[in-house]
Amino acid sequence: MIHIVVLLLVGLMSSSRAFAQETLTFTTEAYPPFSYRDDTGTNRGAGVDQVTTIMADVDSPFRIEIMPWARAIALAETQPMHCVFAAARTPEREKRFKWVLPLFVDRAILVTRQGSGLASLDIEAAKGRLVGTHRADYTEVLLKEMGFSSVDVSADFGTTVRKLVEGRIELMPMSESVFLEMLAQGTPLEQGVTLSTQPLGFACNLGVPDALITQMQAALDALISTGGQDRILASYGVARPR
């Protein structure tokens, strides 16, 4: 009997070491100030710093890759040892991933280009306008569920912004913090009505071990309780939803 217990303990320890040593890949998109590459090619952002802090606490190898959002979330759903951030936890996504959150509670707003005259539209009036978003973003589903009749879907966030500035679409949803960052950089945008508020976090492949998910959640909880998350968000000028 003792021999069997020892074998079980050895097996559990070997399993724990196996996932601890296997690299966890975090995918994300270029979405400053949450995730972006600086002039030196270094990954930075309020989300990137939280991933780095959490994984240092967990003491498990990881890497971060920036790519178009549709590919980032597809990899997390289909590839083992992959997580995507910062993903909105929506009913449609709930059972497709294992979750660690919140990295941030996001306020999604509709944005228009400066001088368009559309910033004062309410939700009902906005539903009749041409609204753009990017493929596989949660707002693609949200806009359709809310009854927006004309939704233009681009390959990525940057393409959608260019379409808006060039007048090829009339409105687009984005995080309020991202809007403020773009405004500070001189992008000619105006803020419109609020669409929704939701938590953002890691959406991990269903094959990521539960023990690792639990460790990452505990590390995130500790980061929040000690004020570390607030300090990271503040360092990038990320505002809590009003």
Side-chain angles (χ1 to χ4, degrees):
M1 182 66 178
I2 293 175
H3 181 65
I4 293 173
V5 172
V6 170
L7 286 175
L8 287 172
L9 288 173
V10 169
L12 289 171
M13 290 173 65
S14 297
S15 175
S16 177
R17 283 195 298 269
F19 84 68
Q21 295 306 313
E22 189 174 352
T23 298
L24 184 62
T25 298
F26 289 89
T27 57
T28 189
E29 66 179 335
Y31 198 57
F34 293 105
S35 49
Y36 61 96
R37 289 192 188 94
D38 65 16
D39 293 338
T40 68
T42 302
N43 293 332
R44 297 197 63 215
V48 171
D49 284 9
Q50 289 188 73
V51 171
T52 302
T53 303
I54 288 165
M55 296 310 291
D57 192 22
V58 171
D59 192 23
S60 184
F62 73 99
R63 62 173 172 262
I64 297 173
E65 298 181 1
I66 295 178
M67 60 189 67
W69 180 255
R71 180 165 177 253
I73 196 167
L75 285 173
E77 186 167 14
T78 61
Q79 299 301 309
M81 294 303 286
H82 275 65
C83 298
V84 63
F85 75 96
R89 188 175 190 174
T90 63
E92 184 269 333
R93 290 176 174 171
E94 179 66 32
K95 294 183 179 180
R96 291 162 52 193
F97 301 96
K98 293 180 179 179
W99 294 91
V100 177
L101 71 168
L103 296 177
F104 181 63
V105 178
D106 185 47
R107 180 171 177 246
I109 59 174
L110 278 180
V111 170
T112 187
R113 67 187 180 282
Q114 285 181 3
S116 70
L118 303 178
S120 61
L121 292 181
D122 61 19
I123 288 289
E124 290 306 312
K127 288 179 182 178
R129 298 290 182 163
L130 180 58
V131 182
T133 188
H134 54 297
R135 189 171 298 115
D137 189 72
Y138 78 95
T139 57
E140 182 182 358
V141 173
L142 177 65
L143 290 168
K144 292 175 182 176
E145 288 180 344
M146 292 181 71
F148 284 78
S149 56
S150 299
V151 180
D152 177 90
V153 181
S154 299
D156 53 46
F157 175 76
T159 300
T160 307
V161 172
R162 285 194 296 275
K163 285 183 177 181
L164 182 65
V165 172
E166 293 168 2
R168 295 156 58 195
I169 58 175
E170 296 178 289
L171 298 161
M172 72 172 289
M174 70 174 65
S175 165
E176 182 181 32
S177 293
V178 174
F179 163 75
L180 294 173
E181 174 75 11
M182 297 188 75
L183 202 64
Q185 294 175 357
T187 309
L189 301 175
E190 290 184 66
Q191 179 172 341
V193 68
T194 297
L195 277 180
S196 65
T197 301
Q198 58 284 312
L200 306 181
F202 303 160
C204 296
N205 185 271
L206 295 176
V208 174
D210 288 342
L212 182 53
I213 296 292
T214 298
Q215 288 177 351
M216 290 192 294
Q217 185 65 64
L220 175 56
D221 292 344
L223 184 66
I224 293 169
S225 66
T226 60
Q229 184 181 75
D230 282 339
R231 289 190 291 273
I232 289 172
L233 294 174
S235 72
Y236 287 96
V238 177
R240 295 282 187 182
R242 293 192 296 253

